[in-house]
Amino acid sequence: MTAPDIKLEENPDVAIERVGAAYRDIKAQVGRIIVGQDEVIDQLLIALFSRGHCLLEGVPGLAKTLMISTLARTLSMSFARIQFTPDLMPADITGTDVLQQNRDTGDREFRFLNGPLFHNVVLADEINRTPPKTQAALLEAMQERQVSVGQQRHALPDPFFVLATQNPIEQEGTYLLPEAQQDRFMFKVYVGYPSFEEEKQIARATTGVSADEIDPVLSGPEIVELQKLVRQVPASDHVIEYALALVRQTRINEPGAPEFMKESLSWGAGPRAVQMLLLGAKAKALLAGRTHVSTEDIAALAAPVLRHRIVCNFAAESDGVTTDKVVERLVNETPQAEGKLTSDPRFAGVFQKAA
């Protein structure tokens, strides 16, 4: 039985407790299998509650696939893993029309057979190993939450959550994701090596006898309810302006871009980056037990939101400058205090209004 929708303004304590309980329960279940990686799991859950998709990048053996499949097991929803390969075709993931005979009429007619995209949680494993034609088949699914086959459009289930993995070190037989497709991912999450103690715990757990039972925590309707709660969290004009300031400074051909941006970037972030910053910050605020967004929430998510939406130029890459370093400097040099942004002459171009 589905609980009635909660209004954040009417029941803030109930809303905070529901989100917090879901967060704690999922983390506890995932922790039965996954050791460490708290920041990565937090970002996955923020994306889940914000109705976004995630791209995970890390070297082999860091349990990216296991982490995603474990998270899916904590949700009472359908799950599919798609192993992307060079010979994978769009119809292999979207589904296709097949000619079948109608037993009642005897006529032959086309019937659509769902592909693996028709699940609530989809793991796109090693997404950069498939050609752009198949990668592009995900674009409509991720943005419009539907697939088009022939002349028919087929709606995907709600909620719909794509978690993709890619390997950054193997270039043989890989296809870089186009910027347009990377922009569809709310976060690009870097999965790093575990600490000494975490790796020791992993070694002990994975070479012995251990139970890996996972109890489901949330159902599809419950996740949809939590996603609605996130959108009800208010964001002040100051917070919105701060998010705008971060994103608009990356646009090197627009007014207000600082010199270090023009020296480091060849392309900046689009409006979707602002939307993802605000939605992610709203979810982060609720998880922290607050019903309002702060600039600290925005700053904390700047790297996973922006790192795949800005492009370093050749000169910057030659000097070892990465998008993360650019974002770090951007956050450090953008004041968070209310009033300082609009009064600082450095940001006059950022907030320049059309005549």
Side-chain angles (χ1 to χ4, degrees):
M1 182 176 178
T2 304
D5 288 347
I6 299 174
K7 301 297 182 183
L8 187 63
E9 292 182 356
E10 298 174 2
N11 300 289
D13 294 337
V14 175
I16 289 173
E17 176 54 33
R18 180 157 299 183
V19 174
Y23 170 72
R24 292 189 297 271
D25 290 345
I26 291 177
K27 289 267 288 191
Q29 294 299 319
V30 172
R32 293 183 178 182
I33 307 297
I34 303 299
V35 178
Q37 303 292 0
D38 287 335
E39 186 177 358
V40 174
I41 296 170
D42 284 348
Q43 291 176 8
L44 288 176
L45 292 178
I46 289 173
L48 174 66
F49 295 149
S50 304
R51 206 167 182 256
H53 310 290
C54 268
L55 175 64
L56 278 72
E57 184 175 292
V59 299
L62 294 180
K64 299 184 297 297
T65 300
L66 178 62
M67 192 185 308
I68 293 171
S69 61
T70 302
L71 175 61
R73 289 165 62 187
T74 68
L75 310 173
S76 296
M77 300 189 297
S78 60
F79 169 71
R81 172 183 174 178
I82 307 173
Q83 186 66 50
F84 280 74
T85 57
D87 59 348
L88 196 70
M89 298 298 290
D92 294 331
I93 64 174
T94 61
T96 187
D97 288 322
V98 296
L99 189 62
Q100 291 187 340
Q101 186 172 19
N102 189 317
R103 294 183 179 180
D104 296 329
T105 64
D107 297 333
R108 290 188 174 184
E109 54 190 30
F110 282 102
R111 177 170 173 252
F112 179 70
L113 293 182
N114 293 346
L117 279 182
F118 286 80
H119 290 80
N120 298 111
V121 182
V122 175
L123 165 56
D125 211 0
E126 294 189 292
I127 189 174
N128 57 333
R129 289 204 172 278
T130 201
K133 184 176 183 180
T134 305
Q135 291 176 3
L138 277 177
L139 280 175
E140 182 185 15
M142 293 172 64
Q143 184 62 30
E144 308 296 334
R145 299 176 188 268
Q146 65 178 24
V147 297
S148 298
V149 178
Q151 297 181 349
Q152 299 295 321
R153 295 178 180 177
H154 305 274
L156 293 170
D158 191 26
F160 177 69
F161 191 39
V162 174
L163 292 165
T165 69
Q166 66 177 15
N167 183 348
I169 61 174
E170 292 182 14
Q171 300 303 319
E172 189 84 19
T174 61
Y175 304 83
L176 291 177
L177 288 180
E179 282 73 15
Q181 180 154 5
Q182 291 192 56
D183 193 38
R184 262 62 176 189
F185 288 100
M186 180 178 188
F187 293 154
K188 181 178 182 179
V189 182
Y190 285 154
V191 183
Y193 290 109
S195 66
F196 175 83
E197 287 300 327
E198 289 171 347
E199 194 161 4
K200 182 179 178 182
Q201 188 176 343
I202 292 169
R204 179 180 291 112
T206 56
T207 57
V209 179
S210 60
D212 60 351
E213 294 183 1
I214 297 292
D215 298 324
V217 174
L218 291 176
S219 65
E222 288 171 333
I223 290 176
V224 171
E225 179 193 347
L226 295 180
Q227 290 171 343
K228 291 178 181 177
L229 272 178
V230 166
R231 287 183 171 267
Q232 294 177 37
V233 176
S236 66
D237 286 345
H238 170 60
V239 168
I240 296 174
E241 288 171 355
Y242 178 71
L244 283 166
L246 290 180
V247 174
R248 291 177 67 85
Q249 286 181 87
T250 68
R251 300 170 188 170
I252 57 175
N253 296 319
E254 296 291 322
E259 237 6 81
F260 78 90
M261 283 291 178
K262 297 177 182 179
E263 295 171 357
S264 303
L265 300 185
S266 58
W267 199 257
R272 191 177 281 115
V274 178
Q275 298 168 354
M276 298 299 100
L277 277 173
L278 290 171
L279 280 173
K282 289 183 176 189
K284 186 174 176 60
L286 271 184
L287 293 178
R290 290 180 279 108
T291 56
H292 66 278
V293 181
S294 69
T295 53
E296 287 79 7
D297 296 322
I298 300 288
L301 298 178
V305 169
L306 292 176
R307 63 167 55 114
H308 58 299
R309 291 185 165 92
I310 59 178
V311 180
C312 285
N313 57 33
F314 178 77
E317 290 179 348
S318 300
D319 292 336
V321 176
T322 64
T323 55
D324 274 22
K325 291 181 180 179
V326 173
V327 173
E328 182 181 5
R329 183 172 176 181
L330 173 67
V331 171
N332 290 337
E333 297 188 8
T334 305
Q336 297 184 24
E338 189 165 359
K340 284 192 175 182
L341 268 177
T342 52
S343 62
D344 193 324
R346 292 180 301 163
F347 302 98
V350 173
F351 297 106
Q352 180 177 309
K353 296 181 180 179

